[in-house]
Amino acid sequence: MTARAAPAPLPPATTVGLQGWLRQNLFSSRGNSVVTVVLAVVLAWFVFNLGSWVFVEADWTVIISRAPLYIVGLYPYEGYWRLCICLLLISVLLGMSWRAWPNAARRFAFGFGAVILFVGVFPHEMAPEHRALLLLNLPAIGLGYVLTPRPADASPGRLEAIAGGTLAPALERGAIFSTPRRMISAALVALVLTMILILGIAGVPGLDPVNPQDLGGLMINLLLAFFGIVCSLPIGVGLALGRRSSLPILKVACVIFIEVIRGVPLITLLFMSRHILPLTFPEDLNIDRVYLAGITITIFSSAYMAENVRGGMAAVHPGQAEAARALGLRDWQNTLLITLPQGLRNIIPAIVGQFISLFKDTSLVYFIGMLDLVEMGRVSVQGNQEFIDNGREVYLFIALVFWVFCFSMSFISRRIEGVLGVGRR
Amino acid sequence: MAETNGVHAAVDIPADKAEILARPLEERDDIVVCENVHKWFGDFCAVRDVSMRVKRGEVVVIFGPSGSGKSTFIRMINRLEEHQQGRIVIDGIEMTNDVRNLDAIRREVGMVFQQFNLFPHITVLGNITLAPQRVRHLPRSEAEALAMQLLERVGIPEQAGKYPAELSGGQQQRVAIARALAMQPQIMLFDEPTSALDPEMIKEVLDAMRELAATGMTMLCVTHEMGFAREVADRMAFFDEGALVELGPPDQIFNDPQEDRTKMFLDQIL
Ligand SMILES: Nc1ncnc2c1ncn2[C@@H]1O[C@H](COP(=O)(O)OP(=O)(O)OP(=O)(O)O)[C@@H](O)[C@H]1O
Ligand SMILES: [Mg+2]
């Protein structure tokens, strides 16, 4: 009975390890070897040239000397500390997400921390108190992490351990549901505080109101995209439910709204919001262009959101609705409790994708005279004789900033998809 | 398998049920009455002229070839499909378009599907407590106590906190049974509850159904588990081409089928 199976034969050395990988992927035939070598040479040449330009020839003064303009626009200097505190709030939320959904948020938290550290220690002009507030983000992430209870649904093993006795259900429910709920309330509080800090309140010392027109730079791109997505979600859900409804008038109204908005470029909507809509306002109603832009972007985004939501709900298996009906749930209960939650969950990656494209689209607000990141770059170059030759530096920087944000978003989105896979059929 | 222990535990039957069960079938009242029921999909007649009466506490197994209208028939009993001609009365409630009647019938009738159809975004416990809380308006603590009792009964109380996707097929189907029972129905419908399961899981689901039958639940089961039918069914109904061809006790169906079509079908599958 002790006869042991012969050890499994090892694969040939040429198919494993670095050597095997190289052989299989780059040098599998003579033709492939030639292509590999040629591409490697071209790539090296390209990287070398770009690198020597970036590190030797390029003059980054145009960015470094004006850094705050790209980040926050004309926001008053006295208020910078308020923005720093907003960032701290975001860091706490990030730390909480890290704890609650480690698989989705951990690496992002690391990346965010690295960027903060880099900007915080980079030897450029910055008031020491702002530098200190910036570096405080690192402990803030840790604080958020520590404040959050460890989720139970992270590992099935732990779940089993909790669910031992009959007390299990109560414990389970607490562990699974308390985390997101706490997250949602924390996020709402942070959102309100952020808005108060950014815009200020008249009469409160230290919180002098800021003219909304002074909001600019990357901050305005992020704010518009964020509020666009957050506000368009409920509107989009409403439109999608309307489109699915059996009331013909409601249905037609929603279809018309969605198709009209989706059929028009954002830039024309912005134009109309600035130049045509005000004609219909009462004389004394003067809505700031920042809010007009926000409303327009929200409306634009809602139409796409509605279609996403509808698609997500349509993808829910029809058996779900049958089970709900068989249990005696009404149609509206089925929609709200069964179909909509599953539909929304189906479209989380699509929502992130929409956020990415909306974030890029917000650069169109230059069209109604706002100084977003891209427009600020253009003004820096064309408005200053000394930087007239630095267009390349500016646009490379802007592209890098957009890329970093969009890449992080799609990275998170893929992580979330992985995490959501757990609870699904 | 340790986790199926609960299934065979002695079942306590409520006094009113016990009293009914004590009576022979023919002295009990009809809980399901179908008279000349028809159903068309477009021009296609999926169920034609079916009349059937089911006694309280009776177990009827429905079988027949694919496409013979078995699913369509039992789905008409809780109005997942609408019958277009004839009459259906469930525990004295006439099946009409009246929403109140419909609500009352849905409370009377529970259903278990071939594909389980558990709600994947909520836990096992949430699946079972959802309808009792939302439809019967039980307080959460009561709904949860009931759910744990039912999970105990189908032998998987330790799975309460998991999500459906974390369970095996057999466990999922047992959760689906518990979910339907949580509405405390008078009648349970099963549409091929074991067809989507691997062989080793079929037994645990059939055991749960056996136990349920022993408590005096009225059951209509579409299934081709003939061993189960022989053992548990009071009567068997053979469907073919939308019609109820033969209805009789298992003894008659297996040993002395009255219709050629029944005999031919049984010869094929046995
Ligand atoms: N929604 C529908 N629309 C059109 N035809 C349908 C629909 N549902 C069922 N049918 C048809 O009605 C007939 C009966 O279907 P049913 O599902 O009741 O059969 P079944 O006996 O349950 O078969 P199976 O054993 O394959 O489940 C089939 O021919 C089927 O194609
Ligand atoms: Mg069927």
Side-chain angles (χ1 to χ4, degrees), chain B residues 41 44 46 64-73 81 192 224:
Chain B
F41 291 110
F44 176 75
S66 181
S68 57
K70 310 179 294 290
S71 299
T72 310
F73 174 67
E81 305 284 0
E192 309 207 28
H224 290 115

Side-chain angles (χ1 to χ4, degrees), chain B residues 10 14 49 64 68 71 91 107 126 131 148 164 168 180 202 219 241 249 262 267:
Chain B
D49 202 17
S68 57
S71 299
D91 205 2
R107 279 182 199 220
M148 286 314 293
S168 75
I202 291 179
M219 292 164 58
E241 295 182 348
T262 315
D267 285 346

Side-chain angles (χ1 to χ4, degrees), chain A residues 153 156 159-160 163-166 168-170 172-173 176-177 181 317-330 333 337-339 341-342 345 421-425, chain B residues 75 78-80 99 103 106 109-111 113 115-123 125 127 130-131 134-135 140 144 148 152 158-163 165-166 172 179-180 183:
Chain A
D153 55 345
L159 206 124
E160 214 111 39
T166 20
E172 273 305 307
R173 195 183 57 247
I176 289 175
F177 292 111
R181 235 178 235 168
H317 193 276
Q320 294 287 308
E322 283 182 358
R325 275 195 286 153
L327 285 169
L329 295 170
R330 294 288 175 83
Q333 289 175 317
L337 300 170
I338 309 298
T339 315
Q342 291 185 56
R345 188 176 187 145
V422 174
R424 290 172 68 171
R425 201 182 285 239
Chain B
R75 287 158 59 88
N78 67 348
R79 246 300 153 113
L80 287 183
V99 182
D103 279 349
R106 293 250 165 91
V109 184
M111 182 156 190
F113 302 85
Q115 298 297 336
F116 327 140
N117 293 344
L118 293 180
F119 306 130
H121 60 300
I122 38 188
T123 59
L125 191 70
N127 265 275
L130 182 74
R134 302 288 175 162
V135 182
R140 175 137 112 195
E144 282 179 357
M148 286 314 293
E152 205 84 55
E158 72 283 359
Q159 311 290 351
K162 288 196 185 172
Y163 285 90
E166 296 172 296
Q172 290 192 45
R179 178 176 72 175
M183 288 301 289

Side-chain angles (χ1 to χ4, degrees), chain B residues 85-267:
Chain B
Q85 200 179 309
R87 188 162 165 257
I88 300 178
V89 182
I90 306 295
D91 205 2
I93 310 161
E94 178 97 30
M95 177 96 67
T96 61
N97 279 324
D98 189 324
V99 182
R100 274 167 304 169
N101 282 8
L102 196 55
D103 279 349
I105 286 174
R106 293 250 165 91
R107 279 182 199 220
E108 291 277 311
V109 184
M111 182 156 190
V112 174
F113 302 85
Q114 180 175 0
Q115 298 297 336
F116 327 140
N117 293 344
L118 293 180
F119 306 130
H121 60 300
I122 38 188
T123 59
V124 165
L125 191 70
N127 265 275
I128 303 175
T129 55
L130 182 74
Q133 286 187 75
R134 302 288 175 162
V135 182
R136 287 174 59 203
H137 303 290
L138 290 190
R140 175 137 112 195
S141 54
E142 225 170 284
E144 282 179 357
L146 173 65
M148 286 314 293
Q149 212 179 318
L150 288 167
L151 281 174
E152 205 84 55
R153 205 166 131 187
V154 296
I156 41 174
E158 72 283 359
Q159 311 290 351
K162 288 196 185 172
Y163 285 90
E166 296 172 296
L167 269 52
S168 75
Q171 291 172 329
Q172 290 192 45
Q173 193 60 297
R174 285 186 281 163
V175 172
I177 294 173
R179 178 176 72 175
L181 291 177
M183 288 301 289
Q184 305 195 320
Q186 297 296 313
I187 303 163
M188 284 282 284
L189 309 175
F190 294 83
D191 192 358
E192 309 207 28
T194 56
S195 303
L197 296 175
D198 293 335
E200 70 269 23
M201 297 171 188
I202 291 179
K203 183 176 174 300
E204 61 193 50
V205 170
L206 291 181
D207 281 346
M209 291 168 63
R210 268 190 203 101
E211 188 257 15
L212 191 59
T215 63
M217 176 67 75
T218 311
M219 292 164 58
L220 275 76
C221 314
V222 177
T223 181
H224 290 115
E225 295 292 334
M226 288 303 163
F228 172 81
R230 204 190 287 265
E231 184 190 335
V232 179
D234 294 303
R235 283 186 298 164
M236 295 175 67
F238 175 65
F239 272 67
D240 194 18
E241 295 182 348
L244 174 56
V245 176
E246 183 163 357
L247 179 64
D251 220 26
Q252 172 195 323
I253 299 285
F254 286 115
N255 303 326
D256 183 24
Q258 308 292 303
E259 302 285 334
D260 288 344
R261 281 195 279 176
T262 315
K263 186 170 170 5
M264 269 166 54
F265 181 73
L266 283 171
D267 285 346

Side-chain angles (χ1 to χ4, degrees), chain A residues 76-144:
Chain A
Y77 182 78
E78 309 78 61
Y80 277 14
W81 66 270
R82 282 152 52 178
L83 302 181
C84 289
I85 297 200
C86 294
L87 199 58
L88 285 174
L89 292 174
I90 294 171
S91 288
V92 173
L93 284 181
L94 183 58
M96 295 177 76
S97 326
W98 177 3
R99 178 70 161 221
W101 304 290
N103 292 325
R106 186 179 51 233
R107 292 201 194 180
F108 181 73
F110 282 150
F112 183 79
V115 171
I116 292 285
L117 195 62
F118 175 75
V119 178
V121 301
F122 192 78
H124 56 87
E125 219 177 293
M126 191 193 246
E129 64 269 26
H130 296 156
R131 202 178 279 275
L133 279 174
L134 198 59
L135 286 172
L136 216 52
N137 279 291
L138 299 175
I141 296 176
L143 181 70

